[in-house]
Amino acid sequence: MISQNPVFVPGPTNIPEVIRKACDMPTVDHRANIFTEILHPAIAGMRKVLKTKNGHVFVFPASGSGGWEAAIANTLSPGDTVLAASGGFFAVRWIELCRLHGLNVKTIDSPWSNHIPLDAISRELESDRKGAIKAVLVTHSETSTGVLNDIGAVRSVIDGASHEAMLFVDGVSSIASMDFRMDDWRVDVAVCGSQKGLMLPAGLSIVGVSERAFDLAPSAGMPRFYFDFSAMHRSYGAGSYPYTPSAALINGLLASTHFLLDEGLENVFARHQRIAEGIRRAVEAWGLEIFAEDPEHRSNAVTGITVPNGCDSAELIRHAATKYEVAFGIGLGEVAGKIFRIGHLGSLTDVMAISGIAAAEMAMADLGYPVELGSGVAAAQEFYRGESRAEQKLAA
Amino acid sequence: MISQNPVFVPGPTNIPEVIRKACDMPTVDHRANIFTEILHPAIAGMRKVLKTKNGHVFVFPASGSGGWEAAIANTLSPGDTVLAASGGFFAVRWIELCRLHGLNVKTIDSPWSNHIPLDAISRELESDRKGAIKAVLVTHSETSTGVLNDIGAVRSVIDGASHEAMLFVDGVSSIASMDFRMDDWRVDVAVCGSQKGLMLPAGLSIVGVSERAFDLAPSAGMPRFYFDFSAMHRSYGAGSYPYTPSAALINGLLASTHFLLDEGLENVFARHQRIAEGIRRAVEAWGLEIFAEDPEHRSNAVTGITVPNGCDSAELIRHAATKYEVAFGIGLGEVAGKIFRIGHLGSLTDVMAISGIAAAEMAMADLGYPVELGSGVAAAQEFYRGESRAEQKLAA
Amino acid sequence: MISQNPVFVPGPTNIPEVIRKACDMPTVDHRANIFTEILHPAIAGMRKVLKTKNGHVFVFPASGSGGWEAAIANTLSPGDTVLAASGGFFAVRWIELCRLHGLNVKTIDSPWSNHIPLDAISRELESDRKGAIKAVLVTHSETSTGVLNDIGAVRSVIDGASHEAMLFVDGVSSIASMDFRMDDWRVDVAVCGSQKGLMLPAGLSIVGVSERAFDLAPSAGMPRFYFDFSAMHRSYGAGSYPYTPSAALINGLLASTHFLLDEGLENVFARHQRIAEGIRRAVEAWGLEIFAEDPEHRSNAVTGITVPNGCDSAELIRHAATKYEVAFGIGLGEVAGKIFRIGHLGSLTDVMAISGIAAAEMAMADLGYPVELGSGVAAAQEFYRGESRAEQKLAA
Amino acid sequence: MISQNPVFVPGPTNIPEVIRKACDMPTVDHRANIFTEILHPAIAGMRKVLKTKNGHVFVFPASGSGGWEAAIANTLSPGDTVLAASGGFFAVRWIELCRLHGLNVKTIDSPWSNHIPLDAISRELESDRKGAIKAVLVTHSETSTGVLNDIGAVRSVIDGASHEAMLFVDGVSSIASMDFRMDDWRVDVAVCGSQKGLMLPAGLSIVGVSERAFDLAPSAGMPRFYFDFSAMHRSYGAGSYPYTPSAALINGLLASTHFLLDEGLENVFARHQRIAEGIRRAVEAWGLEIFAEDPEHRSNAVTGITVPNGCDSAELIRHAATKYEVAFGIGLGEVAGKIFRIGHLGSLTDVMAISGIAAAEMAMADLGYPVELGSGVAAAQEFYRGESRAEQKLAA
């Protein structure tokens, strides 16, 4: 039985009614005009969401991690060197993927609770006189920890080092929830998934590609077929697709971009900021630690919360799921058992966020955490009351 | 735009996924077997929900109040006398309906905050030596106030007076949420609607009818066509329907009865008791008054809450809807502006209930009510924690 | 198991995707603005469908026949006289309803295979010197036979007799499929149902009411509550509803009126004319008789087809349903067993219509009817090819 | 606007109601039990559909062609040799994929209108004394032509040559529509997609893998991450998934396997045989040629039809889509313009099939093809009548 409670995993997220209905589309012929009439505006919408004027956007029927593979397979050759920050479970997975594909990966290691050390990136690039490093790989919002990296700052560091490396960004849990500026930051490949800020079911890996990265196809020696940018590009130009597309999900993507652009991207980001801040106030009121140490580098998509010594966050997650039918995110990799995560991206209201806080409080209390019932809720309420009122004044 | 928050009006209620899908049925031929295969088990299920072995169940395409009309139109004649308790907005509406149909209505008047005075009923019946009173009309759970009347006790009073009056019950907001025993209490007509405990959209008025009431058709002088029991009965016997039925909603009714019977009616009632008690604890923690004075006569479907002097409950409802996108019930009739109502029937989880409490707290705080943020939530959390755990022990 | 084949009963009709989704709406508070934002434009849309500028439109949660009851209950008193044409099963049902409500019904009898004899109406009205006849009741498209009556001509006859009688029209299977002009024809009450040309599930009875008919409420002596025009009117003005509305279906009605008005009413009517003519050509090619004798008085909603002597149309319908999973309409009342009906109103394509013709052919052949396989299909194909091409030329 | 007509492309296919609803699932936590409760029985169901007792089944969020990539990436190394039959558009695409991944592909070339020449396979294998050929790649039902290859016979040929080559089968348009015996035929990798006989939207590539093929992972030198069998296998064992799964589609897959197994696989195959034969009879009646020359090697999933000299099948497809809103399959690759395809796999009734035949007839007549209206329909009707009746006798 599926619970009527919202989910608080950091993706897949709660799906708004109108988007669910867009995804529930009868079969159409993907070789006919009707498909093009869905695909082309969906891509145009995604360009706006990515803040790119002319960047390519490719929509693969795949989970988000398919985009990681697409990024390197279309631009690099086995033996190439990339520089990658390793501070989180998903960052580490992307590195693993690179290595499995024969890349030479230099990693920037740092504690998972911290954002990427920009100076370390700078040092690596400056010492790379021969330009061996072909690309810098960074995760924008690290879903496993709730740490937010500053992509604009990474771009400045690359520019500061006068290095030619491309910039590849895992924006899976940031894009459509937090400001992402593909053109301003000159991101060469931006990877996102349908099941996060886009509020769709999983199943689409959407990849933004700069002209520079796109043009590397002829020299990129990685084998590729399914995740080939050029084949996708040729097909789009012909109003078609290189294989059978997930037409219904693409119709959902079209609805999602309408949904986001109708609200206004800056309003969407402000809403995520507000919802997230309420969650963070609740954690403070509980007397627990937010895993991401630096307040300036916390994601508005997900908050990792360190459980008290002696507690097992996996037990907490199981208990909340079993007794209260509320899903939170577990700790992954090296923080397994140590943190739990509240996902707060996508389509959430203040009231839904509070229900998650309340459920976490109950579950923690049941397991003997030193948390006062209602304390986190009250802190979030106080914050949301003020913020929402402010919005109304502006609107009036 | 439809909010993702649950609704807290006392009907229509939040619709579980599986029931929504059952209602979203493609067109079928209602004169073919497929319709009978939906209708007959739906009726059989409703019999179990009503706790009647052989009572008739008629499913009218109508809102719940159509059942009020059916009750009298099939059993009485203009000029007949009925005895009706008037303690609530919906009770008064039924009385109005009776008068519009030419009945002579004796009313038992009592404050809306109180249940029906059984002794007054008793006195009326005992003084009615000639048996002029054909029926006693009682509302089980008065949706406008949150007062619960004891139908079994009303039956005892009728029996105690050795009176032949029939017993007609408005069970719109009680049936499928609180114990209702059509056979044990010898209810002659039980009226319910699809949009309450049955968790369906509005559009079906379901009426349980005793053999005695059914047999009155030939002598009942009220004009009737649409709400005619006999036509319905004849059609059902032939596997058909006297006019075009709401087949999709009836398919939903079938799913709803499965849903309820799978959980077990007593478990459904216990869940409503638990959810309701949490809400009541919250109101106490707020320092506000529950409108229904007697703790023994409070409905588990809805709680009316008296707002502090000088406050306007209609403003509160508007504010909660506008700022927090949460719908509560307004005060109706003589308690307009004085109470607001939290609907807590149908498909609600503890966590959803808490989200309603939290929204009410924020809205009250915004409007200057002397309510501490988080206080009601904490009281409900404390209660739900204990109760849910108890359930788990039983289940283990 | 629900078949994937379209239905060919003359209502409920096949529901277009976009309308099904509009009907599958989550619960909203019907006392909040969101409901008014659905109801008011739905009514405005229905006014356009009815071609009335200022007529009242009331939307009852009921099957179509609830509208028959509403028509008389709000305008007449027991003992009043009405003149009603009796030429079909549903016409007879409405007469039965009138008699059950104490009206004195003068009937114009004529063979079911023929339209109403206008001269008989004329004679009755002219001989009614005292103006005893309060209303003339006519069925526009008689769903049980496929006969179309000319409402404009009935209006002329009433005017020609200088009679003050109101004009009540059962437009259940005509409105939204064939031209209906409430204002031009000065129709006083127009009854329609959601499940026909409006392409919705059954469950709404929509009634158009002239100012003159509406103003009769104070003097109309019929008891009424559920189907009361005045209560509906007062509620609408206050942005509310006299009882719990079928909000989801009303949302569907809004979508339906958009659907129809986007296509353009005259295009909708032309489409019905084209689809119907294809069906009629098929019947001719089969060598069977269309039950409605006069080609000028055949409904574009449904075609009744006389089965050969010795054949039982009920067997045919059962066989088609069982073996081919295709639902046709049975013969009702005095034509039971003698005709079967192909419903062709609502949302049908040429190709769907042909699939119905083909299924009927197979079923008839199986039962030994002297019908050549493919003959009706070919006739319809030939017609549709030419007509659709013509449309394209216009569009080009 | 989406047409209400069925689609006749050879995938994606028409989706039955119950499967569409299963795919329209609210968000669930894919790291919780609820996901395992969907995934594991879906896989168990797929095993039955593939007729494998212990074969691995992996469900990738991808289009069918992702399965081609998975097949080779997990079992082979760059430079390895495979033997592949090239007789159709999709066969050629798989070969292209192999070459892009550095494989040495020996092709068995034959006219697209013919099935694979078994003797040529035999010769290649027998002359491969050193066992260079690691795998034989065959398309079971070639979707682009309607030719069916006999996989059991290919297995016999491999065995007859005493060759160790693995057998990889593209079963995208055969599996779940025609008999497929993974264990009996000792298929090492069987590739299927969700959007064909499984009647789901596109988006899942389901791959059946023999133990032998699975065990090759350690030595398979192809880079892989997204399509990695071992990662999938490890995750399944832990009740999880290596990345975010398409949970809703997997829920649909569960529903699809129930649907198929409830009907009975042999009944499903017989139904496809019957529907296909009706289509073939229609083509004969038109006097046109079925592209697949050998009647013993025609697919029951799709029929390719050669258009008369001077006709352009692409124009026919466009015309049918534009004027009749019916989608047929175009000619692909070397048969572009020369054939059109009627897809008849998945969930189709006799009546739906006839509607496709009728639409094709009209479109052909419009474009001056020498085809008699109704002729194909009549031939199909005659066939379906007899076959369906036979079924009924058996059932009785």
Side-chain angles (χ1 to χ4, degrees):
Chain A
M1 176 76 72
I2 290 168
S3 173
Q4 289 195 286
N5 295 327
V7 294
F8 295 94
V9 291
T13 61
N14 302 288
I15 309 174
E17 192 63 24
V18 66
I19 294 181
R20 265 188 75 187
K21 281 177 173 155
C23 295
D24 174 37
M25 188 175 71
T27 305
V28 299
D29 177 9
H30 59 284
R31 298 186 199 272
N33 285 344
I34 192 170
F35 175 64
T36 315
E37 289 162 13
I38 293 167
L39 176 65
H40 285 188
I43 285 174
M46 264 316 290
R47 257 194 212 104
K48 288 184 186 159
V49 170
L50 289 166
K51 295 190 177 173
T52 180
K53 194 149 181 269
N54 297 311
H56 296 269
V57 171
F58 302 119
V59 181
F60 294 98
S63 194
S65 48
W68 292 340
E69 192 158 327
I72 63 155
N74 287 277
T75 57
L76 302 172
S77 301
D80 279 351
T81 300
V82 298
L83 181 66
S86 71
F89 182 79
F90 292 102
V92 167
R93 291 272 290 158
W94 200 5
I95 289 168
E96 185 190 347
L97 181 153
C98 291
R99 290 187 170 139
L100 285 168
H101 281 77
L103 295 178
N104 173 32
V105 187
K106 294 196 177 199
T107 62
I108 305 282
D109 299 318
S110 61
W112 283 21
S113 57
N114 249 307
H115 54 285
I116 303 172
L118 294 172
D119 52 349
I121 297 180
S122 183
R123 273 194 304 276
E124 287 286 354
L125 293 176
E126 296 201 341
S127 67
D128 178 40
R129 305 282 164 152
K130 295 190 179 164
I133 296 171
K134 300 297 183 202
V136 178
L137 279 57
V138 189
T139 300
H140 190 192
S141 163
E142 173 58 57
T143 314
S144 67
T145 61
V147 168
L148 183 72
N149 290 306
D150 183 338
I151 303 303
V154 173
R155 164 49 63 199
S156 298
V157 161
I158 299 173
D159 288 354
S162 299
H163 199 287
E164 292 293 305
M166 288 182 290
L167 177 56
F168 291 0
V169 179
D170 174 344
V172 170
S173 74
S174 64
I175 289 167
S177 297
M178 282 165 283
D179 196 15
F180 187 88
R181 307 180 187 186
M182 184 168 158
D183 282 359
D184 284 0
W185 299 337
R186 303 202 321 280
V187 173
D188 290 293
V189 183
V191 176
C192 58
S194 50
Q195 79 278 13
K196 307 277 182 172
L198 293 168
M199 304 165 288
L200 291 160
L204 295 183
S205 181
I206 302 135
V207 185
V209 180
S210 73
E211 201 62 42
R212 180 185 171 201
F214 181 74
D215 288 343
L216 290 173
S219 63
M222 290 277 180
R224 64 188 174 273
F225 179 88
Y226 190 78
F227 291 118
D228 190 68
F229 290 164
S230 303
M232 237 352 137
H233 181 67
R234 275 193 309 275
S235 292
Y236 289 4
S240 73
Y241 211 80
Y243 33 71
T244 311
S246 295
L249 278 184
I250 296 174
N251 195 46
L253 180 62
L254 174 56
S256 169
T257 59
H258 280 168
F259 193 95
L260 292 163
L261 297 169
D262 284 354
E263 182 174 353
L265 287 181
E266 305 314 312
N267 295 331
V268 170
F269 303 152
R271 174 166 53 78
H272 278 80
Q273 162 71 22
R274 187 185 74 237
I275 297 280
E277 184 59 27
I279 303 279
R280 291 187 285 252
R281 301 269 174 119
V283 177
E284 275 174 40
W286 293 336
L288 297 181
E289 297 289 326
I290 293 176
F291 181 71
E293 285 175 20
D294 180 357
E296 299 300 309
H297 289 81
R298 285 175 178 162
S299 172
N300 288 333
V302 54
T303 295
I305 299 152
T306 307
V307 299
N309 267 333
C311 294
D312 173 9
S313 67
E315 188 191 359
L316 180 66
I317 266 58
R318 270 194 308 273
H319 181 74
T322 308
K323 184 165 171 188
Y324 301 108
E325 298 177 32
V326 174
F328 296 105
I330 57 171
L332 295 169
E334 68 177 53
V335 294
K338 297 178 185 160
I339 72 169
F340 76 98
R341 295 172 296 147
I342 302 182
H344 38 73
L345 76 170
S347 183
L348 270 192
T349 63
D350 298 353
V351 168
M352 288 161 82
I354 289 173
S355 78
I357 295 168
E361 280 178 2
M362 288 193 284
M364 290 190 289
D366 288 347
L367 299 181
Y369 286 42
V371 160
E372 189 188 347
L373 289 176
S375 60
V377 167
Q381 285 176 311
E382 189 57 48
F383 179 73
Y384 292 142
R385 280 182 57 209
E387 289 299 302
S388 298
R389 188 188 293 138
E391 276 189 315
Q392 290 210 312
K393 274 184 194 150
L394 284 173
Chain B
M1 176 77 72
I2 290 167
S3 174
Q4 289 195 286
N5 295 325
V7 294
F8 295 94
V9 291
T13 61
N14 302 288
I15 309 174
E17 192 63 23
V18 66
I19 294 181
R20 265 188 73 186
K21 281 176 173 154
C23 295
D24 174 37
M25 187 176 72
T27 306
V28 299
D29 177 10
H30 59 284
R31 299 186 198 273
N33 284 345
I34 192 169
F35 175 65
T36 315
E37 288 162 13
I38 293 167
L39 176 66
H40 285 190
I43 286 172
M46 265 315 293
R47 256 194 211 103
K48 288 183 185 161
V49 170
L50 290 166
K51 295 189 176 174
T52 180
K53 195 150 182 267
N54 297 312
H56 297 268
V57 172
F58 302 119
V59 182
F60 294 99
S63 194
S65 46
W68 291 341
E69 191 158 326
I72 63 156
N74 287 277
T75 56
L76 301 172
S77 300
D80 279 353
T81 298
V82 298
L83 180 67
S86 72
F89 182 79
F90 293 102
V92 167
R93 291 272 291 157
W94 199 4
I95 290 169
E96 184 190 345
L97 181 154
C98 290
R99 289 187 170 140
L100 285 168
H101 281 77
L103 294 178
N104 173 31
V105 187
K106 294 196 177 201
T107 63
I108 304 283
D109 300 316
S110 60
W112 282 21
S113 57
N114 249 309
H115 53 286
I116 303 173
L118 293 172
D119 51 349
I121 297 179
S122 184
R123 274 195 303 275
E124 286 287 352
L125 293 176
E126 296 202 340
S127 67
D128 177 40
R129 306 283 165 150
K130 297 191 177 160
I133 296 171
K134 300 296 182 204
V136 177
L137 278 57
V138 189
T139 301
H140 190 190
S141 163
E142 171 59 56
T143 314
S144 67
T145 61
V147 168
L148 184 72
N149 289 306
D150 183 340
I151 304 301
V154 173
R155 164 50 62 201
S156 298
V157 162
I158 299 173
D159 288 354
S162 300
H163 198 285
E164 292 293 305
M166 288 181 292
L167 176 56
F168 291 179
V169 179
D170 173 346
V172 171
S173 72
S174 63
I175 290 165
S177 298
M178 282 165 283
D179 197 15
F180 186 89
R181 307 180 185 186
M182 184 167 157
D183 281 0
D184 283 0
W185 299 338
R186 303 204 319 282
V187 173
D188 290 291
V189 183
V191 175
C192 58
S194 50
Q195 80 277 15
K196 307 277 184 176
L198 293 167
M199 305 164 289
L200 291 160
L204 295 183
S205 181
I206 303 135
V207 185
V209 180
S210 72
E211 202 61 42
R212 179 184 172 204
F214 182 76
D215 289 343
L216 290 174
S219 63
M222 291 278 180
R224 63 187 175 273
F225 179 87
Y226 191 79
F227 291 117
D228 191 68
F229 290 163
S230 303
M232 234 358 135
H233 181 67
R234 276 193 308 272
S235 292
Y236 289 4
S240 73
Y241 210 80
Y243 34 71
T244 311
S246 295
L249 278 183
I250 296 173
N251 194 47
L253 180 63
L254 174 56
S256 169
T257 58
H258 281 166
F259 194 96
L260 293 163
L261 298 168
D262 284 353
E263 182 175 353
L265 285 181
E266 305 314 313
N267 295 330
V268 171
F269 302 153
R271 175 167 53 77
H272 277 80
Q273 162 72 23
R274 187 185 76 239
I275 297 279
E277 184 58 26
I279 302 278
R280 291 188 286 252
R281 300 271 175 119
V283 177
E284 275 174 40
W286 292 337
L288 297 181
E289 297 288 327
I290 293 175
F291 182 71
E293 285 176 19
D294 180 357
E296 300 300 308
H297 288 81
R298 287 175 177 162
S299 172
N300 288 334
V302 54
T303 296
I305 300 152
T306 307
V307 298
N309 266 334
C311 294
D312 173 9
S313 67
E315 187 190 359
L316 179 67
I317 266 59
R318 269 194 309 273
H319 181 75
T322 307
K323 184 165 171 188
Y324 299 107
E325 299 178 30
V326 174
F328 296 104
I330 57 171
L332 295 168
E334 69 178 50
V335 294
K338 296 179 186 161
I339 72 169
F340 76 99
R341 295 171 297 147
I342 302 181
H344 38 73
L345 76 171
S347 182
L348 270 193
T349 64
D350 297 353
V351 169
M352 288 161 82
I354 288 173
S355 78
I357 295 168
E361 280 178 3
M362 288 193 284
M364 289 190 290
D366 288 345
L367 299 181
Y369 285 43
V371 160
E372 191 188 346
L373 290 176
S375 60
V377 167
Q381 284 176 312
E382 191 56 48
F383 180 74
Y384 291 142
R385 280 183 55 210
E387 288 299 303
S388 299
R389 187 187 294 135
E391 276 190 314
Q392 291 209 313
K393 274 184 195 149
L394 284 172
Chain C
M1 177 76 72
I2 290 168
S3 173
Q4 290 195 284
N5 295 327
V7 294
F8 294 93
V9 291
T13 61
N14 301 289
I15 309 174
E17 193 62 24
V18 67
I19 294 181
R20 265 189 74 187
K21 280 177 174 154
C23 295
D24 174 36
M25 188 176 71
T27 306
V28 299
D29 177 10
H30 59 284
R31 299 185 199 274
N33 284 345
I34 192 169
F35 175 64
T36 315
E37 289 162 13
I38 293 166
L39 176 66
H40 285 189
I43 286 173
M46 265 315 292
R47 254 194 214 105
K48 288 183 185 160
V49 170
L50 290 166
K51 296 190 178 174
T52 180
K53 194 146 182 269
N54 297 311
H56 296 269
V57 171
F58 302 119
V59 182
F60 293 98
S63 194
S65 47
W68 292 340
E69 189 158 330
I72 63 156
N74 287 276
T75 56
L76 303 172
S77 299
D80 279 352
T81 299
V82 297
L83 180 66
S86 71
F89 183 78
F90 293 102
V92 167
R93 290 274 288 157
W94 199 3
I95 290 168
E96 184 189 347
L97 181 154
C98 290
R99 290 189 169 136
L100 284 168
H101 281 77
L103 295 178
N104 174 30
V105 187
K106 294 196 175 198
T107 63
I108 305 282
D109 299 317
S110 60
W112 282 22
S113 57
N114 250 308
H115 55 285
I116 303 172
L118 294 171
D119 52 349
I121 297 180
S122 183
R123 274 195 303 276
E124 286 287 353
L125 293 176
E126 296 200 342
S127 67
D128 178 39
R129 308 281 166 151
K130 295 193 178 161
I133 296 171
K134 300 295 182 205
V136 177
L137 278 58
V138 188
T139 300
H140 190 191
S141 162
E142 172 59 57
T143 314
S144 67
T145 60
V147 168
L148 183 73
N149 289 306
D150 183 339
I151 303 302
V154 173
R155 163 50 62 200
S156 297
V157 161
I158 300 174
D159 288 353
S162 299
H163 198 285
E164 292 293 304
M166 289 182 291
L167 175 57
F168 291 0
V169 179
D170 173 345
V172 170
S173 73
S174 63
I175 290 167
S177 297
M178 282 164 282
D179 196 15
F180 186 88
R181 308 180 186 184
M182 183 168 160
D183 282 359
D184 283 2
W185 299 336
R186 301 204 321 280
V187 173
D188 290 292
V189 183
V191 176
C192 59
S194 50
Q195 79 278 13
K196 306 276 183 173
L198 293 168
M199 304 164 289
L200 291 160
L204 295 184
S205 181
I206 302 135
V207 185
V209 180
S210 73
E211 201 61 42
R212 179 184 172 203
F214 182 75
D215 288 343
L216 290 173
S219 63
M222 290 278 181
R224 64 189 173 272
F225 179 88
Y226 190 78
F227 290 117
D228 191 68
F229 290 163
S230 303
M232 233 0 133
H233 181 67
R234 275 193 308 273
S235 293
Y236 289 4
S240 72
Y241 210 80
Y243 34 71
T244 311
S246 294
L249 277 184
I250 296 175
N251 194 48
L253 180 61
L254 175 56
S256 169
T257 59
H258 280 168
F259 194 96
L260 292 163
L261 297 169
D262 284 353
E263 183 175 353
L265 287 181
E266 305 314 313
N267 295 330
V268 170
F269 303 153
R271 174 167 52 79
H272 278 79
Q273 162 72 22
R274 187 185 75 239
I275 297 280
E277 184 59 25
I279 303 279
R280 291 187 285 252
R281 301 270 175 119
V283 177
E284 276 174 39
W286 292 337
L288 296 181
E289 298 287 326
I290 293 176
F291 182 70
E293 286 174 18
D294 179 357
E296 300 299 308
H297 288 83
R298 285 174 178 164
S299 173
N300 288 333
V302 55
T303 297
I305 299 152
T306 306
V307 298
N309 267 335
C311 295
D312 173 9
S313 67
E315 188 190 0
L316 179 67
I317 266 56
R318 268 195 310 273
H319 181 74
T322 308
K323 183 165 172 191
Y324 300 108
E325 299 178 31
V326 173
F328 296 105
I330 56 171
L332 296 169
E334 68 177 51
V335 293
K338 296 179 187 160
I339 72 169
F340 76 99
R341 294 171 297 147
I342 301 183
H344 38 73
L345 77 170
S347 182
L348 270 194
T349 63
D350 297 354
V351 169
M352 289 161 81
I354 289 173
S355 77
I357 295 168
E361 281 177 2
M362 288 193 284
M364 291 190 289
D366 288 347
L367 298 181
Y369 286 43
V371 160
E372 190 188 348
L373 289 176
S375 61
V377 167
Q381 284 176 311
E382 189 57 48
F383 180 73
Y384 291 143
R385 279 182 56 208
E387 288 300 302
S388 297
R389 188 188 293 138
E391 277 188 315
Q392 290 208 314
K393 275 185 195 149
L394 285 173
Chain D
M1 177 76 72
I2 291 166
S3 173
Q4 290 195 286
N5 295 327
V7 294
F8 294 94
V9 290
T13 60
N14 302 290
I15 310 173
E17 193 62 25
V18 67
I19 294 183
R20 265 188 74 186
K21 280 175 173 155
C23 295
D24 174 38
M25 187 175 73
T27 305
V28 300
D29 178 10
H30 58 283
R31 299 185 198 273
N33 285 344
I34 191 169
F35 175 65
T36 315
E37 289 162 13
I38 294 167
L39 176 66
H40 285 189
I43 286 173
M46 265 315 292
R47 254 193 214 104
K48 289 184 185 158
V49 169
L50 290 165
K51 295 191 176 172
T52 179
K53 193 146 182 268
N54 298 311
H56 297 269
V57 172
F58 302 119
V59 182
F60 294 99
S63 193
S65 47
W68 291 341
E69 191 158 328
I72 63 156
N74 287 276
T75 57
L76 301 172
S77 301
D80 279 353
T81 299
V82 298
L83 181 66
S86 70
F89 183 79
F90 292 103
V92 167
R93 292 272 290 158
W94 199 5
I95 290 169
E96 184 191 346
L97 182 154
C98 290
R99 290 188 169 139
L100 285 168
H101 282 77
L103 295 178
N104 174 31
V105 187
K106 293 195 177 200
T107 62
I108 304 282
D109 299 316
S110 60
W112 282 22
S113 57
N114 249 307
H115 54 285
I116 303 173
L118 294 170
D119 51 350
I121 297 179
S122 184
R123 275 194 303 274
E124 286 286 353
L125 293 176
E126 297 201 339
S127 67
D128 178 41
R129 307 281 165 153
K130 297 191 176 161
I133 295 170
K134 300 297 181 201
V136 178
L137 278 58
V138 189
T139 300
H140 191 191
S141 163
E142 172 58 56
T143 315
S144 67
T145 61
V147 168
L148 184 73
N149 289 306
D150 182 338
I151 304 301
V154 173
R155 164 50 63 200
S156 298
V157 162
I158 299 173
D159 288 354
S162 300
H163 199 286
E164 292 293 305
M166 290 181 290
L167 177 55
F168 292 180
V169 179
D170 173 345
V172 171
S173 73
S174 63
I175 290 166
S177 298
M178 282 165 281
D179 196 14
F180 186 90
R181 308 181 186 186
M182 183 168 158
D183 281 0
D184 283 2
W185 300 336
R186 302 203 319 282
V187 173
D188 290 291
V189 183
V191 175
C192 57
S194 49
Q195 80 277 15
K196 306 277 183 175
L198 293 168
M199 304 164 289
L200 290 160
L204 295 183
S205 180
I206 302 135
V207 186
V209 180
S210 73
E211 202 61 41
R212 179 185 171 202
F214 182 76
D215 288 344
L216 289 173
S219 64
M222 291 277 181
R224 63 188 174 273
F225 179 87
Y226 190 79
F227 290 117
D228 191 69
F229 291 164
S230 304
M232 233 1 134
H233 181 66
R234 278 193 307 273
S235 292
Y236 289 3
S240 72
Y241 210 81
Y243 34 71
T244 311
S246 295
L249 278 184
I250 296 174
N251 194 48
L253 180 62
L254 174 55
S256 169
T257 58
H258 280 167
F259 194 96
L260 292 162
L261 298 168
D262 284 354
E263 182 174 352
L265 287 181
E266 306 313 314
N267 294 330
V268 170
F269 303 153
R271 174 167 52 78
H272 278 79
Q273 162 72 23
R274 187 185 75 238
I275 297 279
E277 185 59 27
I279 302 279
R280 291 188 286 251
R281 301 271 175 120
V283 177
E284 275 173 40
W286 293 337
L288 297 181
E289 297 289 325
I290 292 176
F291 182 71
E293 285 174 20
D294 180 357
E296 299 301 308
H297 288 82
R298 287 176 177 162
S299 172
N300 289 332
V302 54
T303 296
I305 299 152
T306 306
V307 298
N309 266 334
C311 294
D312 173 9
S313 67
E315 187 190 359
L316 179 67
I317 266 57
R318 268 195 309 274
H319 181 74
T322 308
K323 183 165 173 191
Y324 300 107
E325 299 177 31
V326 173
F328 296 105
I330 58 171
L332 295 168
E334 67 179 53
V335 293
K338 296 178 186 162
I339 72 168
F340 76 99
R341 295 172 296 147
I342 301 182
H344 38 72
L345 77 172
S347 183
L348 272 193
T349 63
D350 297 354
V351 169
M352 289 161 81
I354 288 173
S355 77
I357 295 168
E361 279 177 3
M362 288 193 283
M364 290 190 289
D366 289 345
L367 298 182
Y369 286 42
V371 160
E372 191 189 346
L373 290 176
S375 61
V377 167
Q381 285 175 312
E382 189 57 48
F383 179 73
Y384 292 143
R385 280 182 55 209
E387 288 301 301
S388 299
R389 188 189 293 136
E391 278 188 316
Q392 291 208 315
K393 276 184 194 149
L394 285 171

